[in-house]
Amino acid sequence: MKTLIYPYDLQFASIVRHKDLVKDLEIVALVSPRGWSMNGKDGGVADNADKLGIIVSHEFENSLNLCDAVLFSDYVQKLDFESIIFPKIFKSIELKKDIIITNPLSKKNLDLISKKCDENKVRFEYYGPSEVDYEEIPDEVGFIHDINTPVIFVVGMGERTNKFEVQLSLRESIQKIGYKVSQIGTRSYCELLGFHSFPSFMYSKKISETDKIIYFNHFVKDIEIKEQPDLIIIGIPGGIFPINNKFLNNFGILAYEVSQAVTPDSTILSLYYGEYISKYFTSLKESVRYRFGCDVNCFNMSNVAFDWTDAKYENKLSYISIQSKYIDKKIEPYKVYNQKVFNILNKNGNQDMAQYIIDLLADFGQTECV
Amino acid sequence: MNNERPFIHLFYTKGGYYIFDVNTNAIIKVEKKEYNLLEDLLNKNTLLNNDFIYEEYKENAKIISLKEKGYLSSKKTKEIIHPISDILEYYLSSKIKMIILQVTQQCNLRCEYCAYSGSYINRKHKNVRMSFETAKKGIDFLIDNSKDIDEVNVGFYGGEPLLEFELVKKAILYAEEVAEGKKITFSFTTNGTLFTKEVIEFLMKHDVSITISLDGPKEVHDMNRKFAVSGCGTFEKITDNLEFFKNNYPEYFKKILFNAVIDYKSSFSCLSEFFTSYDVLKDSYLITSEVSDEYSLEQRNRNEDYDVQLSYEMFKMYLAKLNRIDNKNVSKLVTSYFDNLRKKMITDRLRKESVNDKGHHGGPCVPGAQRLFMDVDGNLFPCERVSEESDVMRIGHINNGFDYNKIRNLLNIGKITEANCIDCWAFDYCSLCATFADELDELSAKKKLSYCQSVRYSLEDQLKDYCMLNEFGCSFDDSNILRVVEV
């Protein structure tokens, strides 16, 4: 199904970059608002990485004739849903385009769009977070299973550290080598890409934290039993530590809960771009070990820097986007620190990271514990 | 042995002796004995006794305890380089927050202290205006280079920008069109003499933030701010306009920011009285700025009476903060000082383990990213406050983009005074940017160093004020505490 993505920005760039993973959709058009300054440029401009081969347009209505479906994606920039996106959804429905929405919707808007799609007989798929039906876990079943398949965690120092790119690249590369991968991704629409979304119950305010940990463990065990994978990749949303007293990254609570539910064999930590001294890497590894009980085996250096000055003065999270090619040059010196630091946005970096993880797991596999 | 000297600054107040520990940003209260010991150790004139003092320093129990806690390190930055320097091109292609368009170089006023009056090394007022094509290019440049910014701002500047109201209108409508999907705001600095119903209603419709220059009561304001043609003062015209504005658009009027340029020749109490009691401005925001010394052709002397009155008002403000007098007795002209002090000493004074090996002193912003200024001809400058005559400050042209080498030099202005800066205890708190070194065709270390003393004095004053207020029990803590009520 020929699909147009709107409003396209870096949030969806990873998916377009790995579009072979999206089985049922053929991404044919990328449209973003004029003020996002991507008009006429290759879609790779969104995440400052290699070209994607699709030019971004700001002409939404004119682009509708290229597609059968419109995917209204989630986005990192601020955009008023009611005044800018809503009219475009309705216009698309009127023109009989199928509708896919990954952006979280209020119950009211979800009902409104569903009704409009029904009336116009167009297909509607919604991938936003869902409500959860929950039962408190009785004491007698409050236990966690051992997970016997090797598990990899993909975690980050915060938002926008290319975690999703790491997850998709690993999936693609490891599957290519011939392994069977089960995966839980950081987003709510990973089913579009053929794997499991991070479960909504982990965000629930009704479920106790202890129950979340148990449920997550059972969720992974269920996947292990049903899918019989060689490897399980778990992407953990958000950051693992507060950035400082102002930017709390939810205190890394999700990462803590997942790490209590499942013990990984390997962890990939994605960093903001920076020039780090050797001690930084060793301190991070120690902190992760003590806080989450797992070892960081390698790092991904993202092509996004945290803008400390702006964040301080503007009192909000602030980032600086950097060309991915520049990162290649900057990670070279880390070799002398004896740290594995990759640039996932570089094709070689992506393959090297996958191979490194496979070798590592193979090495662990030499020791068979039964 | 010199390397072993702790990197600290010592100061005292009526109530205590203090160390400002540069490496950790900590302010530590100490006994007089340790203070004197440290003072001797730092004092270069006591070189002859250094061995003896150093032995005492090494053996003093309190000093040992401080060192064990990570204080009194002698570590200094090794190389001055701004952290953004390496990624400057990326920064400026994604983080431009604002462009200020100089829509005209003409003004209907001739203010004595104006940067374009002839008293400064800068251009003079001229009947030259910006074309709409140039304005459009400037707006496009802002949108194209602000990918990492949610909200951008287009500012209008002159001369008097309302002389080119039609151009301003077209520029605002164009910017709103091309910024679709990004929040765009507008701002405007005006002398307030040219407001009409049409102007106000347009600005209100587009929620333009207005800053109006008003220096004080008639005798103060008219002393400097005069009409170009008649030479008469502008006070009456402005106050008539303000009354019309407030009566007809009261909600929008509340958003106006007033800027008072303080001339030391005036009486502080007279200014203070005006801004506290003038009914039209009663609920308005007021900022004050001093007549600028940068690029000035004449040396301005401070007025002692003014300083005495200012100090007295500051004293009253402190008493109010200590709940000794009612806040209503405090002059509006000094209320911002406490907030600035709190921000500097509490919010911005982040504790750290030590200074970094590489870094840059405080002061410079990323030139072009915060307040990119474009003159009528499309020349780009870091902000509107620099001299348009300065070659070093001309950081590009709208047709050719930025000159990154020039920008990198401005950003790394500390490089020209590297040795001094590395040794300076006010490194993190420095407020000097390249403007303070601008000799139009080069950046001068000598000129920059001439400001260092006043930066350090000012910081020491703030450290003392902060500590003194603490000694008297002033709470700097944020009162915004969340509490769960148990029922």
Side-chain angles (χ1 to χ4, degrees):
Chain A
M1 190 162 51
K2 290 184 172 170
T3 306
L4 177 154
I5 311 290
Y6 181 88
Y8 173 73
D9 76 351
L10 77 92
Q11 182 75 354
F12 227 70
S14 289
I15 294 140
V16 183
R17 195 169 297 289
H18 299 277
K19 55 181 187 286
D20 289 349
L21 293 174
V22 193
K23 297 290 178 218
D24 302 327
L25 308 178
E26 184 194 349
I27 297 169
V28 293
L30 305 174
V31 181
S32 66
R34 193 171 174 184
W36 292 4
S37 62
M38 288 187 271
N39 185 45
K41 297 173 189 167
D42 182 274
V45 72
D47 61 356
N48 283 292
D50 289 347
K51 288 189 173 176
L52 298 174
I54 307 178
I55 301 296
V56 184
S57 162
H58 69 252
E59 303 275 1
F60 181 81
E61 286 197 33
N62 289 346
S63 305
L64 282 176
N65 57 16
L66 300 171
C67 67
D68 311 312
V70 183
L71 190 154
F72 289 92
S73 58
D74 47 339
Y75 44 90
V76 296
Q77 309 222 25
K78 278 189 185 159
L79 192 63
D80 188 64
F81 187 84
E82 304 284 333
S83 67
I84 296 184
I85 301 181
F86 224 53
K88 292 185 174 65
I89 296 176
F90 279 19
K91 184 79 201 172
S92 310
I93 297 171
E94 277 166 25
L95 293 173
K96 306 287 180 198
K97 306 294 175 188
D98 286 346
I99 303 294
I100 305 156
I101 298 182
T102 62
N103 190 48
L105 292 176
S106 65
K107 174 86 173 67
K108 187 185 132 211
N109 286 342
L110 180 59
D111 291 345
L112 210 61
I113 295 166
S114 291
K115 192 168 163 245
K116 186 88 177 164
C117 286
D118 282 347
E119 285 167 6
N120 285 272
K121 297 192 170 44
V122 302
R123 197 154 66 98
F124 174 45
E125 288 174 33
Y126 173 58
Y127 287 93
S130 49
E131 297 279 316
V132 291
D133 192 17
Y134 156 73
E135 277 177 34
E136 205 172 311
I137 300 173
D139 284 346
E140 61 272 20
V141 287
F143 62 89
I144 57 173
H145 299 275
D146 284 335
I147 306 297
N148 302 316
T149 309
V151 173
I152 303 170
F153 277 0
V154 178
V155 297
M157 293 302 285
E159 297 292 354
R160 292 190 52 177
T161 45
N162 302 150
K163 289 192 299 290
F164 206 56
E165 181 64 40
V166 173
Q167 294 165 65
L168 299 190
S169 293
L170 276 185
R171 179 177 184 79
E172 229 169 27
S173 302
I174 295 176
Q175 279 184 337
K176 238 178 233 168
I177 302 170
Y179 289 93
K180 190 176 177 197
V181 178
S182 287
Q183 192 160 1
I184 301 166
T186 43
R187 297 190 185 169
S188 64
Y189 46 86
C190 297
E191 283 72 14
L192 260 179
L193 298 140
F195 56 98
H196 304 274
S197 297
F198 201 76
S200 291
F201 68 76
M202 292 299 283
Y203 300 106
S204 170
K205 290 192 165 50
K206 294 178 198 154
I207 307 178
S208 74
E209 305 312 315
T210 311
D211 282 6
K212 282 182 192 173
I213 294 169
I214 297 168
Y215 270 124
F216 193 85
N217 169 271
H218 287 233
F219 178 67
V220 178
K221 190 70 194 174
D222 195 29
I223 291 170
E224 185 185 36
I225 293 167
K226 283 182 185 154
E227 299 178 11
Q228 300 282 310
D230 299 315
L231 182 71
I232 301 172
I233 302 172
I234 302 176
I236 303 177
I240 55 171
F241 304 120
I243 290 174
N244 57 25
N245 285 356
K246 236 175 220 165
F247 305 113
L248 304 175
N249 263 339
N250 203 25
F251 297 101
I253 284 171
L254 277 181
Y256 179 74
E257 289 175 352
V258 173
S259 71
Q260 296 306 297
V262 182
T263 306
D265 297 90
S266 173
T267 299
I268 300 162
L269 174 55
S270 209
L271 308 173
Y272 287 114
Y273 165 76
E275 280 190 24
Y276 300 118
I277 55 173
S278 174
K279 195 180 159 198
Y280 179 77
F281 293 99
T282 47
S283 303
L284 267 182
K285 283 182 165 179
E286 263 177 41
S287 301
V288 171
R289 186 177 304 130
Y290 292 132
R291 188 175 286 216
F292 305 108
C294 54
D295 287 325
V296 173
N297 301 101
C298 68
F299 297 91
N300 170 57
M301 177 76 78
S302 73
N303 68 334
V304 173
F306 191 80
D307 189 342
W308 294 96
T309 311
D310 237 20
K312 186 163 121 181
Y313 291 113
E314 304 266 325
N315 208 10
K316 61 183 183 190
L317 293 166
S318 189
Y319 308 98
I320 308 162
S321 305
I322 295 162
Q323 276 295 337
S324 65
K325 285 192 170 46
Y326 181 77
I327 304 298
D328 292 337
K329 204 168 59 178
K330 300 304 282 190
I331 58 177
E332 273 299 302
Y334 297 125
K335 282 181 185 156
V336 298
Y337 295 167
N338 209 16
Q339 299 292 351
K340 287 284 175 194
V341 185
F342 299 99
N343 171 15
I344 199 68
L345 286 163
N346 171 312
K347 237 179 209 156
N348 293 334
N350 155 1
Q351 283 158 9
D352 290 351
M353 184 193 275
Q355 193 56 55
Y356 174 72
I357 294 292
I358 292 293
D359 291 347
L360 202 69
L361 296 178
D363 190 40
F364 291 153
Q366 302 289 322
T367 317
E368 193 179 355
C369 297
V370 289
Chain B
M1 133 82 232
N2 280 347
N3 290 338
E4 291 301 312
R5 276 184 176 155
F7 193 18
I8 57 174
H9 177 68
L10 299 167
F11 63 96
Y12 62 91
T13 65
K14 277 278 184 197
Y17 293 87
Y18 296 91
I19 302 168
F20 171 61
D21 189 63
V22 181
N23 269 279
T24 60
N25 265 337
I27 301 168
I28 308 155
K29 195 170 186 181
V30 288
E31 297 297 323
K32 190 168 188 237
K33 184 185 167 199
E34 280 72 35
Y35 181 92
N36 287 341
L37 175 60
L38 288 164
E39 191 176 39
D40 287 343
L41 187 76
L42 295 186
N43 191 343
K44 288 178 180 155
N45 297 328
T46 58
L47 276 176
L48 287 176
N49 296 320
N50 258 356
D51 287 347
F52 172 70
I53 293 164
Y54 189 58
E55 282 307 305
E56 210 182 328
Y57 171 71
K58 278 204 305 191
E59 285 162 16
N60 181 297
K62 284 185 182 161
I63 300 277
I64 291 169
S65 162
L66 283 175
K67 288 185 82 130
E68 281 171 358
K69 289 180 181 121
Y71 301 119
L72 303 179
S73 164
S74 59
K75 189 179 171 196
K76 290 180 178 173
T77 294
K78 294 188 177 90
E79 185 191 353
I80 297 250
I81 182 155
H82 197 284
I84 298 299
S85 196
D86 251 14
I87 52 171
L88 181 65
E89 282 83 349
Y90 302 119
Y91 196 98
L92 286 173
S93 62
S94 67
K95 296 212 65 151
I96 299 184
K97 287 182 185 151
M98 180 183 195
I99 189 161
I100 302 170
L101 306 177
Q102 183 189 55
V103 288
T104 176
Q105 291 190 352
Q106 186 56 285
C107 187
N108 59 331
L109 268 56
R110 289 294 179 271
C111 304
E112 298 283 332
Y113 55 62
C114 176
Y116 314 117
S117 63
S119 314
Y120 288 82
I121 306 165
N122 209 332
R123 66 162 179 87
K124 312 278 185 301
H125 287 304
K126 266 191 292 188
N127 201 12
V128 192
R129 63 186 291 274
M130 179 177 278
S131 70
F132 181 48
E133 283 311 305
T134 306
K136 272 166 56 176
K137 282 183 192 171
I139 292 163
D140 289 343
F141 191 78
L142 171 71
I143 300 295
D144 280 348
N145 295 292
S146 58
K147 203 172 76 176
D148 287 334
I149 302 280
D150 293 326
E151 181 178 339
V152 290
N153 181 276
V154 178
F156 298 96
Y157 200 73
E160 167 51 44
L162 281 183
L163 288 173
E164 291 297 337
F165 180 56
E166 286 307 313
L167 173 60
V168 169
K169 260 167 75 175
K170 280 164 77 178
I172 287 177
L173 294 173
Y174 177 74
E176 284 176 341
E177 185 193 328
V178 297
E180 187 222 359
K182 198 179 271 292
K183 186 171 179 197
I184 187 155
T185 56
F186 303 97
S187 55
F188 209 91
T189 304
T190 173
N191 59 38
T193 61
L194 296 172
F195 283 127
T196 62
K197 187 170 179 290
E198 186 209 348
V199 167
I200 297 172
E201 286 180 359
F202 180 85
L203 299 179
M204 184 167 70
K205 186 178 172 197
H206 297 272
D207 200 22
V208 178
S209 304
I210 303 173
T211 302
I212 297 176
S213 309
L214 182 68
D215 290 356
K218 183 173 168 49
E219 61 276 18
V220 175
H221 181 90
D222 284 350
M223 185 166 69
N224 285 317
R225 302 186 67 84
K226 296 166 186 165
F227 280 113
V229 178
S230 65
C232 297
T234 56
F235 182 81
E236 275 174 18
K237 177 68 187 165
I238 294 171
T239 48
D240 285 351
N241 281 350
L242 293 181
E243 275 169 37
F244 170 78
F245 201 139
K246 189 172 185 178
N247 290 337
N248 292 285
Y249 313 96
E251 287 307 307
Y252 189 36
F253 186 83
K254 281 183 195 162
K255 295 181 180 174
I256 296 179
L257 179 70
F258 286 90
N259 178 34
V261 181
I262 306 291
D263 190 332
Y264 296 122
K265 291 172 201 156
S266 354
S267 148
F268 184 91
S269 54
C270 171
L271 287 177
S272 181
E273 169 68 20
F274 173 78
F275 285 113
T276 309
S277 62
Y278 179 42
D279 199 45
V280 178
L281 302 186
K282 214 170 52 187
D283 303 317
S284 298
Y285 300 106
L286 173 73
I287 52 164
T288 58
S289 51
E290 298 174 357
V291 174
S292 175
D293 281 335
E294 288 90 59
Y295 303 111
S296 178
L297 291 166
E298 58 181 75
Q299 183 74 34
R300 288 175 188 274
N301 296 318
R302 289 190 77 99
N303 171 348
E304 200 185 329
D305 286 347
Y306 183 95
D307 285 343
V308 169
Q309 287 167 13
L310 172 66
S311 304
Y312 180 60
E313 287 301 325
M314 296 277 282
F315 173 62
K316 275 163 57 188
M317 184 266 291
Y318 289 150
L319 288 178
K321 290 294 169 197
L322 296 167
N323 298 321
R324 309 283 173 100
I325 63 167
D326 197 308
N327 214 29
K328 70 177 189 222
N329 297 310
V330 177
S331 167
K332 237 180 163 179
L333 296 178
V334 296
T335 47
S336 63
Y337 184 86
F338 184 81
D339 295 333
N340 291 338
L341 185 68
R342 187 184 178 286
K343 187 172 179 303
K344 200 163 194 174
M345 292 294 139
I346 307 276
T347 319
D348 295 349
R349 190 166 59 90
L350 300 177
R351 297 292 289 274
K352 53 186 184 179
E353 271 182 38
S354 70
V355 297
N356 293 326
D357 286 345
K358 289 186 200 176
H360 199 283
H361 65 65
C365 62
V366 180
Q370 306 295 321
R371 303 177 65 83
L372 178 64
F373 177 67
M374 183 173 82
D375 75 5
V376 287
D377 298 319
N379 291 304
L380 301 173
F381 297 88
C383 68
E384 77 283 18
R385 296 182 197 116
V386 303
S387 173
E388 291 161 52
E389 298 288 302
S390 169
D391 183 52
V392 291
M393 290 293 175
R394 199 172 301 119
I395 56 173
H397 190 277
I398 198 65
N399 292 337
N400 313 316
F402 285 128
D403 181 333
Y404 290 105
N405 287 335
K406 274 188 174 178
I407 297 176
R408 203 166 260 113
N409 286 339
L410 299 179
L411 180 67
N412 288 295
I413 188 63
K415 204 85 194 163
I416 64 170
T417 48
E418 188 161 27
N420 302 70
C421 293
I422 282 172
D423 281 337
C424 178
W425 63 269
F427 188 87
D428 276 359
Y429 296 86
C430 180
S431 53
L432 300 181
C433 66
T435 312
F436 294 88
D438 186 11
E439 290 282 22
L440 305 186
D441 53 357
E442 62 170 1
L443 293 166
S444 154
K446 189 178 163 205
K447 184 170 182 186
K448 183 176 173 230
L449 291 171
S450 71
Y451 291 98
C452 294
Q453 193 76 298
S454 72
V455 169
R456 285 190 289 265
Y457 278 150
S458 162
L459 177 59
E460 183 166 305
D461 274 352
Q462 288 172 318
L463 288 166
K464 285 178 173 176
D465 287 353
Y466 171 68
C467 291
M468 178 272 294
L469 285 166
N470 262 317
E471 287 158 16
F472 282 97
C474 175
S475 171
F476 283 89
D477 287 335
D478 198 330
S479 59
N480 189 12
I481 292 175
L482 302 171
R483 291 186 179 87
V484 175
V485 180
E486 291 185 22
V487 289

